[in-house]
Amino acid sequence: MKGGQVTIKDIARELDISPSTVSRALKDHPDISPETKKAVNELAKKLHYQPNSIAQSLRKSKTNTIGIIVPEIVHFFFSTVISGIEDVAYNAGYNVIICQSNESYEREVSDTFALLSHRVDGLLISLSRNTKNFDHFREVYERGIPMVFFDRICEELDTHRIVVDDKEGAFKAVEHLISIGCKRIAHIEGPRNLVICQQRLEGYKQALEQHGLPYDEDLVVIDNVGSRESGFERGQQLLKLDNPPDAVFAHNDMAAHGVMLAIKEAGLKIPEDIAVAGFSNWQFSSLIQPSLTTVAQPGFEMGREAARMFIDQVKQDKEDFQAQTQLLKTELIIRESTVRA
Amino acid sequence: MKGGQVTIKDIARELDISPSTVSRALKDHPDISPETKKAVNELAKKLHYQPNSIAQSLRKSKTNTIGIIVPEIVHFFFSTVISGIEDVAYNAGYNVIICQSNESYEREVSDTFALLSHRVDGLLISLSRNTKNFDHFREVYERGIPMVFFDRICEELDTHRIVVDDKEGAFKAVEHLISIGCKRIAHIEGPRNLVICQQRLEGYKQALEQHGLPYDEDLVVIDNVGSRESGFERGQQLLKLDNPPDAVFAHNDMAAHGVMLAIKEAGLKIPEDIAVAGFSNWQFSSLIQPSLTTVAQPGFEMGREAARMFIDQVKQDKEDFQAQTQLLKTELIIRESTVRA
DNA sequence: CTGAAAGCGCTTACAG
DNA sequence: CTGAAAGCGCTTACAG
């Protein structure tokens, strides 16, 4: 019992049997006599024996650990997804190592290799906003390590993926804006390299088209940051147009809030002059004034499903693997920012 | 190169040298000739060699992993602390395994043993609300594994701890309420077993005493949950008193928000009829209406310091260990909920 | 400057 | 029913 940690050898020595027998007794191997099992288990309990899972991992080439890479931990949506992953992982006997890329491509790469070095059994990933090159994940892929991308997915690799139906979510939000009488609907677009943002733009376009509204590129502005400040600036930019919008649909709730602040500052009313809708599972979109209409995403469910897809893949024969893309439904939550008296 | 993972043996075989030499070359051991080093490093790079840190961990009895146990991940304060821990840990070469107790004592115990089994080098812990027995942590302590408690600390063990100055924070908040003319200040008290809540109560009492206000136990109500709903109920309870309060200081911002909703529902005005102050680093206390005065906590800094204390302890000789309790300063943020016209 | 050997703690095919 | 041996991938004291 060196270093305070009891090992199988300690138990074997004390009972004057071999480590092999102890190992087998501990896992209730049918070969071992009931008496031996009893003696081993009692002593193990008495000494507070705990298997060294590092040794087990090395032996079995399996760590029962899942690596997660998210852009940020301090983020309602991502922490909710993590919580969902953790829930399923815990019940399936997996531990979870979490890294945050801080929206940095370089950090994402180094996180990936750190997790590989830790021999995680798989990776659950949501891309950083700045990731345009996927070589690091291609290497993971080529080593045969399961990956599941969630929300901010990578389309270049043949892996499981899970997203909400971003296009449909955006479509519903914009259709709703049209239904309350808006004719010039602007869109604050997220980073172009993120598929989810492309989809949201696509849903916006489709809704306009389907309802016979023209697509005006002056009304579509890019916001690569997605913060309140950047949304505020995009809002100001839109308000300066000769023919400003009567509604704004933003790619996320933070940006939407920034737009609202810009509208208020210009002395205009929400939703009477300009209606606003956002996108996300943002915890407190209900708290801002006026409360914000938003497309809610099932983050916890996404986490649970991502973990399940991973576990299914691990259980499966490699030959049988078929990459799947799960699409989760969003829910349009209508609030004051789009309800005209 | 089995299972797609390159090992030291693969490199040794290909170069026709021994694994020992490869190992040494890889870590730039002075004994090894420059030519050998060059050959090894080039081949390692070419084959995308990555040391198996599981094997290294087993060999060195050190995993370079920190276990974190928090009540919840989806929580602004805790996710901020985690982010701070991650920041320091990453730069010191540590990985972080995160578990959430979900405020369950049983889950906290099983998390603790799961982390021990993973042979984490240390534990950074914030207690579950329901933890009243510390045997699981006593066992960690007796095995000589470093622990740092943060925010929701354990006073029964001689470990490093880090908290904000809860008593002073509460004192400042209540003193501020007194300064705007409040005479009957109620307190929504958090779970009694949490030291931070005891301290907040203590600060409340001290402020009253120091300013010559009587302590009225009718004005102090317990809220063990700390949610908007539970705060709402406590608020209603206070409003029913024959002599209701003219201010409420709540142990957290969620409860404070619940109280505000109860006050509004009763047709009373904040802060004119009843002023409200909360406690926390709650991201959006600025967003609710009216905006909430609160005692802000430096969560990121707390995480960074907790990780630093752990790393210091690891570097130190065990004999030199002196348990420390760090006290971080809070900041009273005065907002509309306590500013009378 | 390099290698053979032992060992970290466990598991399991093989032998008895 | 039990044990000795080999091995997971690495490191390092010891020998040369």
Side-chain angles (χ1 to χ4, degrees):
Chain A
M1 183 173 162
K2 307 170 201 156
Q5 303 288 15
V6 182
T7 71
I8 273 187
K9 276 189 188 170
D10 299 314
I11 298 177
R13 197 178 313 121
E14 189 137 341
L15 256 30
D16 205 26
I17 55 179
S18 77
S20 326
T21 303
V22 175
S23 172
R24 283 189 275 246
L26 250 15
K27 40 179 48 62
D28 205 25
H29 189 108
D31 274 0
I32 305 296
S33 77
E35 300 79 51
T36 308
K37 279 185 191 167
K38 187 154 175 276
V40 168
N41 283 307
E42 279 174 2
L43 185 58
K45 192 166 214 172
K46 184 178 150 216
L47 298 180
H48 300 274
Y49 169 75
Q50 274 210 282
N52 181 332
S53 53
I54 296 295
Q56 291 175 321
S57 295
L58 182 61
R59 180 60 233 259
K60 298 191 191 161
S61 305
K62 185 167 189 312
T63 55
N64 272 283
T65 299
I66 304 176
I68 303 180
I69 304 177
V70 288
E72 283 181 291
I73 297 172
V74 188
H75 187 293
F76 180 69
F77 178 68
F78 290 120
S79 61
T80 305
V81 177
I82 290 172
S83 193
I85 295 171
E86 222 256 349
D87 185 53
V88 169
Y90 178 82
N91 288 303
Y94 280 89
N95 267 83
V96 145
I97 297 188
I98 302 174
C99 296
Q100 56 183 338
S101 62
N102 286 318
E103 302 283 11
S104 148
Y105 162 72
E106 288 75 22
R107 177 77 187 259
E108 184 180 282
V109 172
S110 72
D111 281 344
T112 303
F113 287 109
L115 291 170
L116 281 185
S117 173
H118 269 266
R119 296 299 190 266
V120 292
D121 294 338
L123 250 37
L124 270 45
I125 304 147
S126 197
L127 294 175
S128 114
R129 185 195 293 143
N130 296 302
T131 300
K132 285 149 197 166
N133 177 311
F134 304 99
D135 289 351
H136 49 311
F137 295 128
R138 183 159 290 118
E139 185 160 339
V140 177
Y141 181 77
E142 280 165 5
R143 291 198 200 178
I145 295 165
M147 279 183 285
V148 180
F149 286 90
F150 59 90
D151 191 53
R152 302 205 197 155
I153 60 176
C154 167
E155 293 193 307
E156 303 205 359
L157 295 169
D158 193 39
T159 69
H160 283 328
R161 298 174 201 144
I162 181 163
V163 282
V164 300
D165 194 335
D166 288 279
K167 195 200 285 187
E168 192 212 40
F171 184 91
K172 286 190 293 191
V174 175
E175 189 167 59
H176 165 66
L177 290 169
I178 295 170
S179 80
I180 62 165
C182 301
K183 304 266 181 241
R184 284 184 59 72
I185 302 170
H187 178 46
I188 314 270
E189 187 189 350
R192 285 251 164 109
N193 53 309
L194 296 181
V195 178
I196 52 171
C197 294
Q198 294 165 13
Q199 290 293 314
R200 289 171 198 178
L201 173 63
E202 204 49 47
Y204 162 79
K205 284 184 183 170
Q206 277 192 5
L208 294 187
E209 193 182 324
Q210 197 155 320
H211 290 274
L213 290 178
Y215 174 79
D216 178 349
E217 63 181 17
D218 285 348
L219 291 179
V220 178
V221 294
I222 286 203
D223 161 36
N224 279 317
V225 183
S227 68
R228 201 172 287 141
E229 291 67 31
S230 64
F232 183 77
E233 287 168 20
R234 293 299 149 268
Q236 288 188 318
Q237 188 181 331
L238 287 168
L239 292 173
K240 275 195 210 121
L241 290 175
D242 290 339
N243 195 356
D246 57 9
V248 180
F249 167 57
H251 69 101
N252 79 7
D253 284 348
M254 279 302 199
H257 190 211
V259 169
M260 287 167 72
L261 296 175
I263 294 171
K264 283 190 196 176
E265 200 191 58
L268 296 171
K269 283 193 177 158
I270 306 166
E272 289 74 13
D273 297 317
I274 305 183
V276 180
F279 202 112
S280 191
N281 193 339
W282 191 29
Q283 200 172 15
F284 301 115
S285 50
S286 63
L287 298 176
I288 59 180
Q289 290 282 331
S291 59
L292 176 65
T293 290
T294 195
V295 181
Q297 308 181 76
F300 192 76
E301 199 46 34
M302 184 181 286
R304 290 180 54 94
E305 281 304 320
R308 282 203 199 104
M309 290 173 101
F310 160 76
I311 290 168
D312 284 349
Q313 185 174 354
V314 168
K315 283 188 191 152
Q316 232 172 17
D317 283 337
K318 286 215 172 152
E319 292 71 37
D320 296 348
F321 178 71
Q322 282 277 26
Q324 289 174 8
T325 298
Q326 263 199 72
L327 219 54
L328 263 30
K329 286 288 166 202
T330 57
E331 186 190 356
L332 181 66
I333 301 181
I334 297 171
R335 298 215 188 87
E336 293 163 1
S337 69
T338 63
V339 174
R340 289 177 173 167
Chain B
M1 181 173 163
K2 305 171 204 161
Q5 303 287 15
V6 182
T7 72
I8 274 188
K9 277 189 188 172
D10 299 314
I11 297 178
R13 196 179 313 123
E14 189 137 341
L15 254 30
D16 205 25
I17 55 180
S18 76
S20 328
T21 303
V22 174
S23 173
R24 283 190 274 246
L26 249 15
K27 40 181 46 63
D28 205 24
H29 189 107
D31 273 1
I32 305 297
S33 77
E35 300 79 51
T36 308
K37 278 184 191 168
K38 187 156 175 274
V40 168
N41 283 307
E42 279 175 2
L43 185 58
K45 190 166 215 172
K46 185 179 150 214
L47 299 180
H48 300 275
Y49 170 75
Q50 276 210 283
N52 181 332
S53 53
I54 296 295
Q56 291 176 322
S57 295
L58 181 61
R59 181 57 234 259
K60 298 190 191 164
S61 306
K62 184 168 191 310
T63 55
N64 271 285
T65 299
I66 304 175
I68 303 180
I69 304 177
V70 288
E72 283 182 291
I73 297 173
V74 189
H75 188 294
F76 180 70
F77 177 68
F78 291 121
S79 63
T80 305
V81 178
I82 290 173
S83 193
I85 295 171
E86 223 255 350
D87 186 53
V88 168
Y90 178 82
N91 287 305
Y94 280 88
N95 267 82
V96 146
I97 297 188
I98 303 174
C99 296
Q100 54 183 340
S101 63
N102 286 318
E103 302 283 11
S104 148
Y105 163 72
E106 288 75 22
R107 177 75 188 260
E108 184 180 280
V109 172
S110 72
D111 282 342
T112 303
F113 288 109
L115 292 170
L116 281 186
S117 173
H118 269 266
R119 296 301 190 265
V120 292
D121 294 338
L123 249 37
L124 271 45
I125 304 147
S126 198
L127 294 175
S128 113
R129 185 194 294 143
N130 297 302
T131 300
K132 284 150 198 168
N133 176 310
F134 303 99
D135 288 350
H136 50 310
F137 295 128
R138 182 159 290 118
E139 184 159 338
V140 176
Y141 181 76
E142 280 164 6
R143 291 197 199 178
I145 294 165
M147 278 184 286
V148 180
F149 286 91
F150 59 90
D151 191 54
R152 302 207 197 154
I153 59 176
C154 166
E155 292 193 308
E156 302 205 359
L157 295 169
D158 192 38
T159 69
H160 283 327
R161 297 173 201 144
I162 181 163
V163 281
V164 300
D165 194 336
D166 288 279
K167 195 199 286 186
E168 192 213 39
F171 184 91
K172 286 191 293 191
V174 175
E175 188 165 60
H176 165 66
L177 290 169
I178 296 170
S179 79
I180 62 165
C182 302
K183 305 267 182 239
R184 285 184 59 72
I185 301 170
H187 178 45
I188 314 270
E189 188 190 349
R192 285 254 163 107
N193 53 310
L194 295 181
V195 178
I196 51 171
C197 293
Q198 294 165 13
Q199 290 293 313
R200 290 172 197 177
L201 173 63
E202 203 48 47
Y204 161 79
K205 286 184 182 170
Q206 276 194 6
L208 293 186
E209 192 182 324
Q210 197 155 317
H211 291 274
L213 290 177
Y215 175 79
D216 179 350
E217 63 181 16
D218 285 349
L219 292 178
V220 177
V221 294
I222 286 204
D223 161 36
N224 279 318
V225 183
S227 69
R228 200 171 289 140
E229 291 67 31
S230 63
F232 182 77
E233 286 168 19
R234 295 298 149 268
Q236 288 187 318
Q237 188 181 332
L238 287 168
L239 292 172
K240 274 192 211 122
L241 290 175
D242 290 339
N243 194 356
D246 56 9
V248 179
F249 167 57
H251 69 103
N252 80 8
D253 284 349
M254 278 304 200
H257 191 212
V259 170
M260 286 166 72
L261 296 175
I263 294 172
K264 283 190 196 176
E265 200 191 57
L268 297 171
K269 283 194 175 159
I270 305 167
E272 288 74 14
D273 297 317
I274 305 183
V276 181
F279 202 113
S280 191
N281 194 339
W282 192 30
Q283 202 171 14
F284 301 115
S285 49
S286 64
L287 297 177
I288 59 180
Q289 290 282 329
S291 59
L292 175 65
T293 291
T294 195
V295 181
Q297 308 182 77
F300 192 76
E301 199 47 33
M302 184 180 285
R304 290 180 54 92
E305 281 305 321
R308 282 204 200 102
M309 291 174 100
F310 160 75
I311 290 169
D312 285 349
Q313 184 174 353
V314 169
K315 285 189 191 151
Q316 232 172 14
D317 283 338
K318 285 215 172 152
E319 292 71 39
D320 297 348
F321 178 70
Q322 282 276 27
Q324 288 173 9
T325 299
Q326 264 199 71
L327 221 54
L328 262 30
K329 286 287 166 204
T330 58
E331 187 189 355
L332 181 67
I333 301 181
I334 296 172
R335 298 215 188 88
E336 293 164 0
S337 68
T338 63
V339 174
R340 289 175 172 168

